[in-house]
Amino acid sequence: MLKTLQLVRIMLQDLHNKKLFKNFEAETKVADGAPRTLVVRITSPAPDRSKDTVQPTGMNANNYEKNPVVLYAHNYADIPIAKCNNLKVTDEGILASVEFPQEGVYAKADTVYAMYKGGFLNAWSIGFMPTDYDENDQGGYNFKEWELFEFSAVPVPDNPEALTVMRSKGIDVDTLFEKGVLPYKETPKAPDDASWDAGEEVKAASVDDLKVMCAWVDSENADNKGAYKLPHHLHSGEHDVVWRGVAAAMGALLGARGGVQIPDGDRKGVYNHLAKHYKQFDKEVPPFKAVGEYNQEALLDLDKKGLIDFGDEVTLTKELFREMEKQILEKEEKSGRSISSKHESLLKGAVENIQSVLSSVSTSDDDDGKEVEMPLTKRLLNQINTAQKQMKETDKQVGLTLRLIKVIQSESKQKGGEIK
């Protein structure tokens, strides 16, 4: 986003029909008789630091007034922090009446309102498109006619200690700088035991749906569905929140399911978002920890307690694996049957993958001297399942091999796994 027009001038670009942003620092007043409403000046006719002027009488707000949102820092992926009730053109600029939602509805809106009301923020920025302009004798531009898209509160406090002061007063200013955290929205709850298929829900969703469904977005690519992560709401209807989706998202945030790649600075905000859904379902919220602070055993323990969804995974001890391997070898020897080289290779690959998973996890004993259970991932089970199908279709001499695979599948299902 351009906050000045300097780059535009340097590159000699045509400004006509280009979306621009201009910041204005002006007095903000609390409206008389209107709760949680501010009267703010969003433009000024005076030249700014770039020597540009924006003529108040040249504003076209016809389209804006159909959807009079007030944003924070021009973040189009986030929900508005307030709405504009009125625009008034004066000789000193354009005055806007900005109404914030009731306290407690949206934490970021509460923070922004408190910072303006306390005098720690006093800047606003318009997003507009010039339709008529010319150069002035000071080296800037005079924007004579322009269309207003939106205007935003922007974090340009005059006092460099403002954020420290606000924190000392208990105001959560950190929510202002979490670029990718999507705001919590309370929607109806799906039944606690409702099934959840994140892939199918995202596939059927629109970008607007995903803004409600997910907890994080790559804000620079918010128009792309692939920018949204950690879904936990249904895509249709009133976007019911699904407990299994919430638990899966929290598990991924804390390191299960392969984790999730988001900036470290956004993780606590995502955690707070999901924690509110935990309270919505009357569930205990697992403690927040940074990436890597939960090991596999701790995550599995949270899964067993029902606090997160570790994923479609089962546990397989080394002792159980060795016993299954021994059984298949004994049965092969007794039967005298042989396995084709092709299927022997398939089975060997599956076995090597199992051994790799087992050896990659800590093998330390627990406090009772028992061997620690090891995770067997759904991806590995799918590999085994694929090998099974190929064997069935092409060779009927692998019955013993198939029985071994069935033993693995049986053990996985008994311990909560599922193969699709």
Side-chain angles (χ1 to χ4, degrees):
M1 292 182 182
L2 294 178
K3 293 180 180 174
T4 71
L5 300 178
Q6 294 175 352
L7 292 179
V8 178
R9 293 194 189 88
I10 292 172
M11 299 180 69
L12 301 177
Q13 294 178 350
D14 181 5
L15 302 181
H16 190 74
N17 291 335
K18 302 288 186 182
K19 184 185 293 185
L20 304 177
F21 302 94
K22 299 294 290 181
N23 291 355
F24 296 90
E25 295 184 18
E27 184 178 4
T28 298
K29 297 181 179 179
V30 178
D32 294 333
R36 292 177 67 82
T37 301
L38 304 175
V39 176
V40 306
R41 185 185 305 132
I42 61 172
T43 73
S44 168
D48 62 13
R49 294 175 184 175
S50 300
K51 311 302 181 183
D52 299 327
T53 65
V54 178
Q55 299 302 317
T57 55
M59 178 184 66
N60 177 354
N62 291 338
N63 288 328
Y64 172 74
E65 289 174 346
K66 297 175 184 177
N67 184 37
V69 297
V70 179
L71 305 179
Y72 181 79
H74 302 292
N75 188 347
Y76 288 71
D78 206 346
I79 64 175
I81 59 168
K83 66 178 179 179
C84 175
N85 290 330
N86 186 48
L87 290 171
K88 181 179 180 181
V89 178
T90 72
D91 292 339
E92 296 180 348
I94 296 174
L95 296 179
S97 176
V98 179
E99 180 184 350
F100 289 80
Q102 293 181 352
E103 185 174 3
V105 172
Y106 184 16
K108 183 179 289 188
D110 294 343
T111 301
V112 173
Y113 176 71
M115 293 189 79
Y116 276 106
K117 188 176 179 181
F120 295 98
L121 290 180
N122 66 353
W124 297 85
S125 179
I126 59 172
F128 69 101
M129 181 178 70
T131 54
D132 185 16
Y133 65 95
D134 56 26
E135 293 189 48
N136 58 43
D137 55 10
Q138 298 181 18
Y141 291 93
N142 297 322
F143 296 105
K144 297 183 290 183
E145 294 184 3
W146 48 280
E147 181 178 357
L148 178 66
F149 289 145
E150 49 79 24
F151 66 92
S152 294
V154 288
V156 190
D158 286 340
N159 182 351
E161 298 180 354
L163 300 183
T164 300
V165 173
M166 295 302 284
R167 285 193 180 97
S168 71
K169 294 186 176 183
I171 297 175
D172 183 13
V173 299
D174 294 327
T175 59
L176 298 176
F177 304 101
E178 294 165 347
K179 295 182 179 180
V181 180
L182 289 170
Y184 164 83
K185 183 175 181 179
E186 185 170 343
T187 65
K189 297 188 300 180
D192 286 15
D193 60 352
S195 60
W196 173 249
D197 189 326
E200 288 300 315
E201 290 298 326
V202 171
K203 182 179 178 180
S206 67
V207 169
D208 286 339
D209 292 328
L210 292 171
K211 292 176 182 179
V212 179
M213 293 168 60
C214 298
W216 187 87
V217 61
D218 174 1
S219 56
E220 294 183 358
N221 298 288
D223 292 335
N224 300 324
K225 289 179 64 172
Y228 293 81
K229 297 184 179 182
L230 302 175
H232 49 281
H233 292 258
L234 297 178
H235 77 277
S236 59
E238 297 183 73
H239 297 300
D240 290 6
V241 61
V242 181
W243 163 243
R244 290 182 179 177
V246 174
M250 183 66 84
L253 180 70
L254 300 181
R257 295 172 167 264
V260 59
Q261 297 299 316
I262 64 174
D264 289 343
D266 284 352
R267 289 185 179 274
K268 187 59 184 296
V270 170
Y271 172 85
N272 291 338
H273 175 137
L274 296 173
K276 291 178 181 179
H277 286 305
Y278 270 70
K279 294 177 181 178
Q280 194 178 355
F281 282 97
D282 295 322
K283 302 287 187 179
E284 178 186 350
V285 185
F288 175 76
K289 292 184 180 180
V291 179
E293 291 188 14
Y294 276 110
N295 59 27
Q296 293 278 34
E297 293 175 52
L299 290 170
L300 284 170
D301 184 59
L302 291 177
D303 180 67
K304 290 177 180 178
K305 292 178 179 178
L307 301 184
I308 67 168
D309 184 349
F310 189 79
D312 294 319
E313 311 200 17
V314 298
T315 55
L316 178 68
T317 64
K318 285 190 173 182
E319 181 180 355
L320 176 61
F321 174 73
R322 286 193 292 266
E323 179 62 28
M324 288 191 295
E325 187 178 33
K326 179 181 177 181
Q327 289 178 10
I328 186 61
L329 291 175
E330 289 178 348
K331 290 179 179 179
E332 285 179 4
E333 184 177 354
K334 289 180 181 179
S335 67
R337 293 184 179 181
S338 61
I339 300 176
S340 68
S341 59
K342 175 183 177 180
H343 296 139
E344 182 179 9
S345 176
L346 285 170
L347 181 61
K348 182 179 179 181
V351 170
E352 288 177 350
N353 280 331
I354 295 173
Q355 291 174 323
S356 175
V357 171
L358 293 174
S359 62
S360 67
V361 185
S362 172
T363 58
S364 61
D365 293 342
D366 61 18
D367 294 338
D368 298 327
K370 298 178 181 178
E371 190 173 28
V372 175
E373 292 183 334
M374 305 300 175
L376 179 63
T377 66
K378 181 178 180 180
R379 179 182 59 81
L380 177 54
L381 292 176
N382 281 337
Q383 284 184 310
I384 296 173
N385 195 39
T386 299
Q388 179 192 36
K389 290 179 180 178
Q390 291 175 342
M391 291 175 181
K392 280 182 175 180
E393 292 172 358
T394 61
D395 196 336
K396 296 181 180 180
Q397 294 183 345
V398 291
L400 293 177
T401 304
L402 296 179
R403 280 197 286 274
L404 169 59
I405 293 174
K406 288 180 180 179
V407 171
I408 296 175
Q409 292 173 325
S410 176
E411 290 293 333
S412 75
K413 290 180 180 179
Q414 290 177 10
K415 293 181 177 295
E418 181 179 2
I419 299 178
K420 295 182 179 179

